[in-house]
Amino acid sequence: MPSQLPYHRPRILLLSAYDAGSHQRWREQLVASQPDFHWEVLALPPRFFRWRIRGNALSWLQEPALRGRYDLLIVTSMVDLASLKGFHPHLAHTPSILYMHENQFAYPDSGRQHSSAEPKMVNLYSAVAADQVLFNSTWNRNSFLQGACRFLDKMPDGLPDGLIGRIREKSRVLPVPIEDRLFTERHYTVNTQCPHLLWNHRWEYDKAPDRLLLMLDALAAAGQDFRLSVVGEQFRNQPKSFNLIHERHRERIVGWGYLQSRADYDRLLAEADVVISTALHDFQGLSVLEAMASGCVALTPDRLAYPEYVPATQRYASHADDPVAEANAAASLLCKLLQQNTGPCVPEAWRLSELQKKYYNVISATLGRLTVS
């Protein structure tokens, strides 16, 4: 005789402590793509970084939603999971997944921040407190484990044995998916005579716009014509390189600044020929993956997460300490790709329809405290 009990959808509390663009997109996508679960979502605005990463558990201390009982906690890398469980003892034994969009051990130093160990400690404590630790790329996972190991080596005493090994055992890579709608088949080839170059990143120092400027200057000096779109999230203080790019290559510019409309951005992805990264820091590289899905040829440095999905033939030599040498390598490789009429490499494994099943399996396994395969 079938059970008369109503079906129980597992209740999941999803916490995003620094809900910046990619974090917001990931959590909204996760909820929408996993309708078999009942979701409760809490998010804090992406400002006051140092306070937010250290103080989020206090900010949520009196949050009514945290008084409830849940079958699973899913938290982002900025969440202080250890303190959260300590402040709310009824959640202490609730299975939990930590999703690492980034890690504080691998951020390059801009020279402007005040050095502090606390953001690293939050990452580390949360990884210890979680049942599963998910990383959006292998490079993110490896740099976290290596950085945490070096960090702990500096501690004077009192460290438990095998801590990093235990975190390694419960960690796996599960990227942020790319929406299936972005995977479009093009009916035209790359414009090899005057390609449309796209640089689509945050306008900050760690994306190395100075290297983009050097590369563009090298292309112009070599006689390679091009059109240019430089788009992305902008901030009050921006590297001076952007002004120089605009001044020197004004006549080549097709798109500039932040595109408010997602439809306009998607259209740009589909129209560009080559997506460029000059980044010194990128834990997954969503902007590059989206452009590749839309049919762009990639041109990225041979470092960070890029070797995980960009073909070796589309990665230029990495010279992290020599911007001029790296810019020349990038310009030279681009000219070679254009001469060979290289086509795009579509990152099929990063499709939402592919990764959706893997997210479901991880969530289900953690709910049951099973081994994730």
Side-chain angles (χ1 to χ4, degrees), residues 60 129 152 174 229 264 276 334:
W60 281 322
L152 292 177
L174 192 54
S229 288
D264 289 343
I276 297 171
L334 178 58

Side-chain angles (χ1 to χ4, degrees), residues 182-202:
L182 290 176
F183 288 78
T184 56
E185 184 177 353
R186 296 196 180 188
H187 302 290
Y188 56 90
T189 59
V190 171
N191 184 336
T192 58
Q193 300 303 310
C194 184
H196 183 173
L197 308 182
L198 171 63
W199 189 93
N200 54 340
H201 308 274
R202 283 184 290 102

Side-chain angles (χ1 to χ4, degrees), residues 20-21 46 200-204 231-235 238 257-259:
N200 54 340
H201 308 274
R202 283 184 290 102
W203 287 30
E204 291 188 290
V231 299
E233 186 179 5
Q234 296 173 295
F235 302 90
Q238 298 173 2
Y258 180 71
L259 297 179

Side-chain angles (χ1 to χ4, degrees), residues 110-230:
S110 69
R112 296 192 304 268
Q113 293 115 327
H114 297 292
S115 178
S116 171
E118 290 196 354
K120 296 174 182 178
M121 296 294 278
V122 170
N123 275 181
L124 183 59
Y125 281 23
S126 293
V128 172
D131 293 285
Q132 291 287 335
V133 185
L134 304 180
F135 293 85
N136 59 1
S137 71
T138 300
W139 183 82
N140 187 8
R141 180 177 184 265
N142 290 345
S143 64
F144 170 81
L145 293 171
Q146 293 164 7
C149 190
R150 289 192 298 268
F151 179 74
L152 292 177
D153 281 345
K154 298 176 182 178
M155 300 297 105
D157 61 14
L159 292 175
D161 293 332
L163 184 63
I164 299 301
R166 288 194 292 276
I167 295 174
R168 180 182 289 109
E169 289 173 3
K170 62 182 177 181
S171 72
R172 61 174 293 175
V173 175
L174 192 54
V176 176
I178 305 301
E179 298 284 351
D180 283 56
R181 62 182 177 76
L182 290 176
F183 288 78
T184 56
E185 184 177 353
R186 296 196 180 188
H187 302 290
Y188 56 90
T189 59
V190 171
N191 184 336
T192 58
Q193 300 303 310
C194 184
H196 183 173
L197 308 182
L198 171 63
W199 189 93
N200 54 340
H201 308 274
R202 283 184 290 102
W203 287 30
E204 291 188 290
Y205 77 97
D206 59 306
K207 301 305 181 184
D210 57 317
R211 295 173 187 240
L212 174 64
L213 173 63
L214 290 169
M215 189 200 81
L216 297 175
D217 289 348
L219 288 174
Q224 174 61 57
D225 200 7
F226 60 87
R227 294 176 297 145
L228 176 66
S229 288
V230 177

Side-chain angles (χ1 to χ4, degrees), residues 222-259:
Q224 174 61 57
D225 200 7
F226 60 87
R227 294 176 297 145
L228 176 66
S229 288
V230 177
V231 299
E233 186 179 5
Q234 296 173 295
F235 302 90
R236 184 178 304 169
N237 296 317
Q238 298 173 2
K240 296 178 181 178
S241 304
F242 290 107
N243 290 334
L244 294 173
I245 290 170
H246 197 275
E247 290 173 8
R248 295 183 194 176
H249 301 283
R250 182 190 308 271
E251 295 180 357
R252 307 176 191 272
I253 291 175
V254 177
W256 187 263
Y258 180 71
L259 297 179

Side-chain angles (χ1 to χ4, degrees), residues 61-112:
L61 185 60
Q62 297 175 318
E63 169 58 49
L66 284 169
R67 299 172 192 158
R69 296 194 176 272
Y70 299 92
D71 299 295
L72 178 67
L73 304 178
I74 300 181
V75 305
T76 61
S77 44
M78 300 294 187
V79 173
D80 185 352
L81 180 59
S83 293
L84 193 81
K85 287 191 170 190
F87 290 162
H88 305 276
H90 67 286
L91 298 176
H93 298 291
T94 303
S96 55
I97 294 174
L98 172 66
Y99 192 84
M100 298 292 289
H101 289 275
E102 68 287 295
N103 76 79
Q104 297 302 310
F105 296 99
Y107 268 106
D109 184 8
S110 69
R112 296 192 304 268

